[in-house]
Amino acid sequence: MVNGSTRIRILDTALDLFGTRGVGTVSLDDIADAVGVRKQTILYWFKSRSGLIDAVLDHAADELLVVVEAAIRSRGDEPLDRVDAVVCAVFRPVVRRPALLGLIREVTRLDESHINHLRGRLSAVVERCVSYLTSEMEKGRLRTCDPMVLAGLLYSTVSGTGTEPIVLETFGWEPNAAGLRQVRRELRGFVRAALQPN
Amino acid sequence: MVNGSTRIRILDTALDLFGTRGVGTVSLDDIADAVGVRKQTILYWFKSRSGLIDAVLDHAADELLVVVEAAIRSRGDEPLDRVDAVVCAVFRPVVRRPALLGLIREVTRLDESHINHLRGRLSAVVERCVSYLTSEMEKGRLRTCDPMVLAGLLYSTVSGTGTEPIVLETFGWEPNAAGLRQVRRELRGFVRAALQPN
DNA sequence: TCACGTCTCTACCATTTGGTAGACAAATCT
DNA sequence: AGATTTGTCTACCAAATGGTAGAGACGTGA
């Protein structure tokens, strides 16, 4: 019998813990406890801790790619609307699965091999985004600037906003459903203003 | 004899390690090795690991506050210039001391007590920023929006851009002096465009 | 000189870490 | 039925962790 359910439960739980507490501070025992299983069961499904990390990164990339690809394909010719759709798409996991962006953001703390692993999974979308921004700038439909750096700025803004509610709270913001809608509204306005051609 | 130098060397080194590798993944032994001293020396100067973390957060807050306060007081009346000055001020440590913003960004991974400790240190500046943004919006000299959330968005954009060169590299950016200047230029343009009154 | 405070060290300790070896039960195949 | 594969477990282990206890080197004031 091919029992995938344990494997998937481990992946899901690990994603949540890695994403919220940081990869480096979550032990196999922590994950095992949360799943309701022994550490050795994790090591049965995944060769090592490092192997688990790569698998979780894949899992996260899958989840994110689906969302983003759908938004990119969504219709409407106007680039500001299109970028807006992607921003909303990336912001959705912030509400539904906060750990997802938190994990992606962990990339800075990982070592080279895991970084490259994640890069390999995301490079295609990244390239599409940059070339899309480039072409729309050439048509004068976006504020002209360096498209690579702009893509990075957009990523930082959206992911930072989504992964650091604690910072927003420091600025006086209230963490509830209404607050999140407010943040999303402001985020969209911010990005729109930043991209407007002049 | 009041020998502060060891204490300070520990603080500086810990700030660098915490900021670049993440608080949770740096052990007292790691710090001790980097300082060239034994772990027990650290525990002589700081009551515990947790005490060290608070002290390092203070150290970081001090360093950041000096820079930001100076920028806030600097330069003309025009709000876009003023915000620009703060952005540049916060961006400077990105080049000179990359760990500084990296540590501040670690706040999401810390536990409540450390979060509140850091908040206490930064709340004054934060409030000044928010009320400044508010008053300038009322005068119609900044794009009207929620000033609290805007402050959070600005923080996310600047700190994310500064602390995630790896992400920028994924977007095709090259990490050298010229690349950094380019990022700063784009960042300033991005923020300016996002704040422009309409 | 002697006593004292300052600073860093060696020697431990209990706990936790990632990981190996292999027992054992249930399901599957022949 | 018997043999084999699959999945989870218990029992370990060496290394690393934060932390305690206390020795000893050093300068300073009496």
Side-chain angles (χ1 to χ4, degrees), chain B residues 1 3 6 38 40-41 45:
Chain B
M1 181 186 108
N3 178 358
T6 303
R38 300 275 155 229
Q40 285 69 16
T41 303
W45 287 104

Side-chain angles (χ1 to χ4, degrees), chain B residues 1-194:
Chain B
M1 181 186 108
V2 180
N3 178 358
S5 90
T6 303
R7 201 187 121 94
I8 301 225
R9 270 162 56 223
I10 293 172
L11 278 178
D12 273 328
T13 309
L15 196 157
D16 285 334
L17 292 177
F18 283 162
T20 54
R21 279 164 43 188
V23 173
T25 60
V26 175
S27 71
L28 295 184
D29 280 319
D30 290 337
I31 301 168
D33 283 352
V35 177
V37 95
R38 300 275 155 229
K39 170 175 61 178
Q40 285 69 16
T41 303
I42 297 180
L43 289 166
Y44 168 79
W45 287 104
F46 305 92
K47 178 167 119 271
S48 65
R49 184 184 146 84
S50 178
L52 172 63
I53 293 174
D54 276 340
V56 171
L57 290 176
D58 278 338
H59 195 54
D62 287 342
E63 222 174 292
L64 199 63
L65 283 184
V66 171
V67 174
V68 173
E69 294 276 0
I72 290 179
R73 270 193 303 274
S74 81
R75 232 183 298 191
D77 179 55
E78 178 59 36
L80 287 179
D81 292 336
R82 217 134 170 179
V83 172
D84 187 58
V86 174
V87 168
C88 285
V90 175
F91 198 78
R92 193 166 313 134
V94 169
V95 183
R96 294 235 287 253
R97 199 138 156 57
L100 186 58
L101 284 184
L103 177 62
I104 301 293
R105 212 200 55 177
E106 270 288 288
V107 69
T108 357
R109 309 299 195 195
L110 302 173
D111 47 79
E112 201 95 19
S113 76
H114 294 123
I115 292 176
N116 289 331
H117 187 89
L118 187 58
R119 269 205 190 119
R121 292 300 312 277
L122 298 180
S123 60
V125 214
V126 160
E127 273 163 36
R128 276 180 61 190
C129 289
V130 171
S131 69
Y132 174 72
L133 292 176
T134 309
S135 76
E136 293 293 344
M137 276 179 208
E138 279 163 4
K139 291 183 208 150
R141 306 209 293 176
L142 286 179
R143 185 172 64 84
T144 307
C145 62
D146 182 314
M148 285 193 284
V149 178
L150 175 66
L153 288 170
L154 287 171
Y155 163 80
S156 293
T157 306
V158 177
S159 108
T161 308
T163 58
E164 305 196 86
I166 283 169
V167 172
L168 283 170
E169 283 175 49
T170 304
F171 283 101
W173 171 79
E174 307 217 350
N176 52 39
L180 273 172
R181 275 197 303 276
Q182 169 77 350
V183 166
R184 198 184 61 170
R185 191 181 325 134
E186 298 295 341
L187 174 62
R188 292 169 72 183
F190 185 83
V191 168
R192 211 171 258 273

